[in-house]
Amino acid sequence: MMQLLRAHTYRMLCFSTIVCVPLWSCKGDDQTVDEITETPSAVTVADTSIVRGKTLASRHCSSCHLLPAPDLLDKTTWKESVLPNMAARLGLRYRGYDPFEGVEPSEVAEIKALNIYPEQALLSEADWQSIVHYYEQMAPAELPAQNRTSATAPEPPPFTPNLVEIGDKPVPQVTLLEYDQPTRTLFIGDHLNLYALDQQGAIVGNWQTQSPSSDIARTERGIFLLSIGAFKPSEKKEGVFFPLTFNAAGKAEDYVVTELPRPVQFDIGDLNGDQKDDVVICGFGNHRGQLAWYDNFRQDQVHLLSGLPGARKALIRDMNGDGMNDVVALMAQAWEKVVIYYNKGNGEFREETVLELPAVYGVSYFDLVDFNDDGHPDLLLTNGDNWDYSSIQKPYHGIRIYLNDGSNQFTPTYFYPMYGCSEARAVDFDRDGDLDLAAIAFYDNRLSTPDESFVYLRNEGQLSFSAHYMPETACGKWLTMDVGDFDNDGYPDIFLGSYFHNVSELSKVMTKGVEAFPEVLLLRYQPQ
């Protein structure tokens, strides 16, 4: 059951809205987020129209989550984007909003069957206008800028950049990036092409896939690959999990799982105690998704853990020391939370939510890492997915660390603000005995600071970090990343995978003087 290789792609087109998610606030090292997420006390004053609007919002918007605070977004975003979608989910059409605009005709009937946008209004027009009044009056004109209290070092991080260019596509679209340390092989999934490169950069494997690759793993059974199917938001179930072999005579149909709802990640381990590997697959979906595990990789032995959309990443770990593997999952798509599915034996699980965040936070990645060497896995989490109804700069986007008290209760301990943050890794890059951080920000569309799409946070001790930026990282939009010792010098290196939608998006970066756009940027660590 040894797992030798893991990969993650950044789970395209996350689609967050203000539904079915509790508010949760924390205090981090760099910012007091409570000041942003709490509803202003002025709501309790004698303005009866505002009080009425809040009461109605609580009634209609809080059936399965706490009331979304108005100061999470600015007035314009509430009025022109989020509120129209909220209205549609209450059976109203506000400001001419059409929730089915751009949806393929074949999927409209399916979405209607899910009753996401009811045909009948669930409240009166007058009540809805009271809710609108509440948000418009209480939301700020604009959100505050991010406040970084961690020191920004004047010197760049200790890495030397190297461009990795492959194929003849004019626009890099890397959705999968993984370095396999045992074989020193770099896997790059660029749109419908999957490449394997050796340490000299020579192509040692080249495959065509039916859809963009989203995850890959080398196991005792060989290499397995996940293809996402429908790339844009969709209800289609076209994702596939299948074996990948260097032998063209290999049977790709063995152990295949098909009809997956936009799968983005998988993990492998024994979940039912039969000493055989099982696979848990995150089906991100759109309005409907799934988190499920497959006994011995068999499609006819599927076990559903959750039918919610937004399953983003799952890890198989024994979280309570009972000798049985549990599943820890990150859920997005408005259900912004970390959930532990505790193994009860015989293939049964008990669900417990251990962390919740507001819907607009846009969770994007998590990992289990022991930051304080107490033997208990802590949470490293990033939030910044901004491909939703509120694509503005948000001060609560960034990198977060939550420490485990030993019973899987997690306390917020550190926060580094980073607009559009999409992934982070905790690694002792400088080999001084503590964990440093490296992070990317795919969802930050600011052209003024493209070099801030990557940050290296050096641990100065006691989870105090200094931030280092490098201008060379402005040559891409980093959707994926991985860490491995590429040059075999004993120090970890970093791989960054670039994704642009089209030539037009790439051209916008060219206006900043960037001329080269590699598929991958290799950052080699240079000991100081």
Side-chain angles (χ1 to χ4, degrees):
M1 292 40 157
M2 181 174 62
Q3 191 171 338
L4 299 178
L5 184 156
R6 279 255 46 89
H8 305 285
T9 182
Y10 259 96
R11 327 306 183 207
M12 306 304 300
L13 294 171
C14 179
F15 172 89
S16 298
T17 187
I18 311 293
V19 291
C20 298
V21 67
L23 285 178
W24 189 93
S25 59
C26 68
K27 292 185 177 180
D29 179 75
D30 277 57
Q31 186 175 17
T32 303
V33 183
D34 299 282
E35 296 175 359
I36 298 169
T37 61
E38 290 183 352
T39 302
S41 59
V43 173
T44 62
V45 301
D47 187 335
T48 57
S49 63
I50 292 179
V51 173
R52 183 172 186 272
K54 181 182 179 182
T55 301
L56 289 167
S58 180
R59 180 187 307 164
H60 292 285
C61 305
S62 304
S63 58
C64 54
H65 62 87
L66 298 178
L67 181 65
D71 57 350
L72 284 170
L73 301 171
D74 62 88
K75 293 180 186 292
T76 300
T77 302
W78 277 116
K79 185 175 180 179
E80 296 183 358
S81 184
V82 175
L83 287 174
N85 184 263
M86 291 174 67
R89 292 171 184 267
L90 294 171
L92 298 169
R93 297 297 180 263
Y94 175 60
R95 298 175 64 89
Y97 177 75
D98 179 7
F100 301 109
E101 182 178 357
V103 178
E104 293 186 16
S106 60
E107 295 188 45
V108 171
E110 187 169 356
I111 296 174
K112 287 184 176 180
L114 294 173
N115 203 34
I116 303 297
Y117 304 107
E119 296 291 338
Q120 300 296 323
L122 304 182
L123 76 170
S124 69
E125 181 66 28
D127 285 352
W128 170 249
Q129 290 301 327
S130 293
I131 293 175
V132 171
H133 179 69
Y134 163 61
Y135 280 99
E136 289 184 345
Q137 292 299 309
M138 301 310 301
E142 59 183 26
L143 295 185
Q146 289 189 332
N147 177 29
R148 295 174 181 167
T149 60
S150 290
T152 299
E155 68 273 10
F159 296 94
T160 299
N162 298 266
L163 307 185
V164 179
E165 297 177 314
I166 186 171
D168 56 3
K169 285 174 72 270
V171 179
Q173 294 182 319
V174 177
T175 58
L176 181 147
L177 181 65
E178 177 66 23
Y179 182 63
D180 183 21
Q181 190 70 55
T183 62
R184 299 184 187 176
T185 302
L186 178 64
F187 289 91
I188 303 172
D190 186 0
H191 191 48
L192 301 183
N193 293 294
L194 177 66
Y195 303 98
L197 276 63
D198 64 15
Q199 200 171 16
Q200 285 70 46
I203 298 176
V204 295
N206 186 1
W207 303 264
Q208 291 287 314
T209 56
Q210 64 271 55
S211 64
S213 302
S214 55
D215 202 0
I216 191 170
R218 184 189 299 275
T219 73
E220 291 179 349
R221 297 190 184 194
I223 301 172
F224 282 83
L225 185 71
L226 196 62
S227 291
I228 195 170
F231 191 74
K232 65 180 182 179
S234 173
E235 308 309 321
K236 295 178 181 179
K237 297 181 179 180
E238 299 177 338
V240 180
F241 173 75
F242 59 100
L244 181 75
T245 116
F246 285 92
N247 180 1
K251 294 183 178 180
E253 65 269 20
D254 288 350
Y255 310 113
V256 169
V257 180
T258 61
E259 299 181 4
L260 293 166
R262 297 180 73 225
V264 294
Q265 184 264 345
F266 68 92
D267 202 12
I268 292 172
D270 182 9
L271 289 173
N272 56 0
D274 64 357
Q275 306 304 309
K276 297 179 181 179
D277 273 340
D278 310 306
V279 59
V280 58
I281 300 177
C282 292
F284 192 93
N286 184 28
H287 293 295
R288 176 176 59 189
Q290 71 175 33
L291 176 67
W293 66 278
Y294 296 80
D295 188 355
N296 198 25
F297 294 19
R298 293 178 55 185
Q299 181 155 349
D300 62 348
Q301 294 293 322
V302 57
H303 304 269
L304 187 68
L305 293 173
S306 174
L308 293 175
R312 202 167 182 93
K313 181 181 178 182
L315 295 175
I316 296 176
R317 301 286 190 275
D318 181 2
M319 293 297 291
N320 55 5
D322 63 358
M324 295 186 292
N325 278 327
D326 310 304
V327 177
V328 188
L330 179 67
M331 303 296 294
Q333 201 74 335
W335 287 268
E336 311 284 304
K337 59 185 179 180
V338 176
V339 180
I340 299 178
Y341 294 89
Y342 287 104
N343 198 332
K344 300 194 299 182
N346 300 316
E348 299 293 327
F349 291 83
R350 174 179 62 86
E351 178 180 345
E352 181 178 322
T353 297
V354 296
L355 178 65
E356 296 174 307
L357 292 168
V360 293
Y361 270 45
V363 294
S364 49
Y365 180 86
F366 94 106
D367 203 356
L368 296 170
V369 184
D370 187 359
F371 282 97
N372 54 2
D373 294 321
D374 64 355
H376 303 293
D378 307 308
L379 284 177
L380 171 65
L381 183 142
T382 65
N383 68 292
D385 193 330
N386 223 20
W387 285 2
D388 54 18
Y389 301 112
S390 57
S391 55
I392 59 173
Q393 295 179 21
K394 298 167 183 172
Y396 39 82
H397 279 177
I399 307 160
R400 300 171 184 274
I401 295 173
Y402 303 85
L403 294 184
N404 190 340
D405 68 353
S407 59
N408 297 327
Q409 301 297 311
F410 296 91
T411 301
T413 305
Y414 178 79
F415 171 54
Y416 184 79
M418 189 177 190
Y419 291 124
C421 190
S422 49
E423 186 170 347
R425 298 296 182 94
V427 178
D428 186 5
F429 287 99
D430 53 10
R431 300 194 310 185
D432 65 352
D434 52 28
L435 292 173
D436 311 299
L437 299 172
I440 53 176
F442 175 74
Y443 303 102
D444 184 8
N445 293 320
R446 296 175 302 158
L447 292 178
S448 59
T449 54
D451 57 333
E452 291 193 11
S453 61
F454 169 83
V455 65
Y456 171 66
L457 296 171
R458 184 181 185 276
N459 196 334
E460 305 295 346
Q462 302 300 313
L463 294 182
S464 175
F465 296 85
S466 60
H468 302 254
Y469 293 91
M470 56 192 305
E472 292 87 350
T473 58
C475 64
K477 282 197 67 179
W478 310 119
L479 176 65
T480 58
M481 72 182 302
D482 196 24
V483 175
D485 184 4
F486 183 77
D487 48 17
N488 202 34
D489 65 351
Y491 288 88
D493 307 306
I494 299 174
F495 305 84
L496 305 179
S498 181
Y499 182 96
F500 289 91
H501 290 298
N502 48 45
V503 174
S504 176
E505 188 178 59
L506 184 145
S507 298
K508 294 178 182 179
V509 182
M510 293 178 65
T511 63
K512 294 299 176 181
V514 181
E515 298 179 353
F517 297 93
E519 279 75 17
V520 174
L521 184 65
L522 168 61
L523 304 178
R524 296 192 183 191
Y525 187 88
Q526 300 296 319
Q528 303 298 299

